[in-house]
Amino acid sequence: MYIDDILLTANDLGLLHETKKFLSRNFEVKDMGEVIYVIGIKIFHNRSQGLLGLSQKVYILIKC
């Protein structure tokens, strides 16, 4: 089976790392690092303030 994209998020970085380790032991994976865009949605975050935002501004500009 081939899965094109998967996005993992967690508020517990230890759990996130353990999940990634589990997946890479059982499947061929490529960690692409922190996400900026996924399926056309821009993701922005500020960890120190605990903020996470999503934007489809480009999609809206194209459709208008």
Side-chain angles (χ1 to χ4, degrees):
M1 179 180 359
Y2 176 79
I3 298 176
D4 188 25
D5 295 307
I6 186 170
L7 178 64
L8 298 175
T9 64
N11 59 0
D12 180 336
L13 289 179
L15 176 61
L16 180 64
H17 291 297
E18 286 301 315
T19 303
K20 287 169 35 175
K21 281 184 200 175
F22 171 80
L23 289 172
S24 58
R25 280 194 307 267
N26 293 284
F27 305 98
E28 183 180 336
V29 298
K30 184 190 325 182
D31 187 346
M32 303 294 288
E34 288 193 24
V35 66
I36 297 173
Y37 277 93
V38 65
I39 60 171
I41 300 171
K42 182 176 182 181
I43 300 173
F44 52 94
H45 48 83
N46 183 320
R47 282 197 177 94
S48 64
Q49 294 180 348
L51 300 175
L52 174 68
L54 306 173
S55 172
Q56 285 190 291
K57 180 180 177 180
V58 173
Y59 176 81
I60 293 167
L61 292 174
I62 291 171
K63 293 295 181 180
C64 291

